[in-house]
Amino acid sequence: MLYNTAPDKLFIPQTAVDPLGFGKVAIVTGCASGIGLAVTQVLLAHQFQVCGLDVAEFDYQLLREADHGRFHFHRGDLTAPGVCEEGVRIAAHAFGSRVDVLVNVAGMMDNFHSADGVSDDIWDKVVAINLTAPVKMMRSVLPFMKAKKDGVIVNVASTAGMSGAIAGIAYTSSKHGLIGATKNVAWRFRNDGIRCNAVLPGAVDSGVGKTIAAGRNNELWDSEAFAEIEPVHALQARPSESTGSITAHEVAKTIAFLVSDQARTINGVSLPVDKAWGVV
């Protein structure tokens, strides 16, 4: 009912506006698949305007048609010079010269090589996308957030960011580094109204999870190193029928909480989303 039937009663209008995202702009890297796609879908459901960045093409059929007008996609390789800065400029231009939220999701798995076998190519690629690109993205959005004394950054790290028994040395180092960058930004800009947190997903049914599952057939796979890590993976990689696996949308919903005002006092944390895997 739009109006009260009696004019002498308090009028409280019903609203379909979601205060979490209405009028706000979010940038999501790695938006075309996995956790990045789930974050894009969830933020759009909360009425954010979202600029998605990815090296792969985006399938608009994975979004509700009603959300297309609030979504802008820019394709680019975040490890290439100037692409992170370009993506932020495009987002600000598309949605009114503001950036309220940055979610750094884009990342890649390594081939489980240890320090005695990792190649320069794998090291450089993994660190570039998992650590250097997120830092460049943060550097690019901070001026917008500082100008209005408000902003939220969420970095998608990993259980490997706290453990040495999850992945190879490149992925492990990059995610440890991302957690360090998260803490540094949180402390440095805490008085500017900016929050920076990390989520630490466990074994998620996503692109990284599929990479691990298919890795045994890869000639670059370090079978000897993975044999040392496999028992740790087995602690979560075999979910029970009652609990199931961790989904990308469960991670996305955790990120939505960290973005919300309900988490306004949470800053600089590394929040596991792993069904207690990280306590081992």
Side-chain angles (χ1 to χ4, degrees):
M1 182 180 295
L2 183 58
Y3 300 105
N4 289 323
T5 54
D8 57 346
K9 291 185 179 180
L10 177 65
F11 171 54
I12 303 177
Q14 294 182 346
T15 177
V17 172
D18 189 330
L20 176 58
F22 184 75
K24 295 181 180 179
V25 176
I27 299 176
V28 181
T29 71
C31 68
S33 63
I35 294 172
L37 174 59
V39 171
T40 299
Q41 293 169 332
V42 168
L43 293 184
L44 285 170
H46 283 292
Q47 298 192 355
F48 277 91
Q49 298 174 95
V50 178
C51 180
L53 310 177
D54 206 301
V55 71
E57 284 290 357
F58 189 88
D59 184 358
Y60 278 81
Q61 292 185 348
L62 298 174
L63 300 181
R64 297 182 307 170
E65 187 173 346
D67 290 334
H68 287 189
R70 287 183 291 106
F71 178 72
H72 182 86
F73 174 66
H74 177 64
R75 186 177 183 182
D77 180 357
L78 297 178
T79 66
V83 174
C84 291
E85 295 82 359
E86 180 185 42
V88 174
R89 286 196 301 270
I90 288 172
H93 178 74
F95 296 122
S97 297
R98 65 180 294 165
V99 178
D100 301 279
V101 172
L102 167 65
V103 186
N104 278 313
V105 186
M108 66 174 290
M109 191 62 182
D110 63 13
N111 50 18
F112 283 88
H113 275 224
S114 305
D116 58 350
V118 65
S119 68
D120 289 350
D121 181 58
I122 288 296
W123 175 270
D124 292 345
K125 285 181 178 178
V126 172
V127 172
I129 189 62
N130 290 1
L131 179 57
T132 304
V135 171
K136 288 183 177 181
M137 290 296 302
M138 290 191 286
R139 182 180 67 187
S140 299
V141 302
L142 279 168
F144 292 94
M145 296 179 175
K146 289 170 65 179
K148 59 188 183 65
K149 292 287 185 179
D150 184 56
V152 182
I153 299 170
V154 181
N155 294 318
V156 176
S158 165
T159 305
M162 303 289 284
S163 170
I166 304 298
I169 191 168
Y171 187 83
T172 299
S173 299
S174 68
K175 293 302 185 179
H176 272 71
L178 186 56
I179 290 174
T182 298
K183 293 178 179 180
N184 182 269
V185 170
W187 178 256
R188 171 63 181 83
F189 300 103
R190 70 196 187 284
N191 293 326
D192 290 294
I194 298 169
R195 296 189 292 111
C196 185
N197 295 297
V199 293
L200 279 56
V204 178
D205 184 16
S206 66
V208 170
K210 291 179 175 65
T211 298
I212 295 174
R216 297 173 183 274
N217 299 321
N218 189 330
E219 60 181 9
L220 299 178
W221 188 264
D222 190 334
S223 299
E224 182 180 355
F226 184 71
E228 294 292 326
I229 291 172
E230 189 172 21
V232 180
H233 276 253
L235 295 175
Q236 188 178 80
R238 300 170 185 170
S240 67
E241 292 182 2
S242 61
T243 61
S245 61
I246 299 169
T247 69
H249 274 92
E250 287 172 323
V251 180
K253 290 175 182 178
T254 302
I255 291 171
F257 164 71
L258 289 174
V259 165
S260 74
D261 285 342
Q262 297 178 59
R264 66 184 182 86
T265 59
I266 300 176
N267 197 8
V269 306
S270 300
L271 180 60
V273 188
D274 64 3
K275 295 186 177 178
W277 191 25
V279 306
V280 177

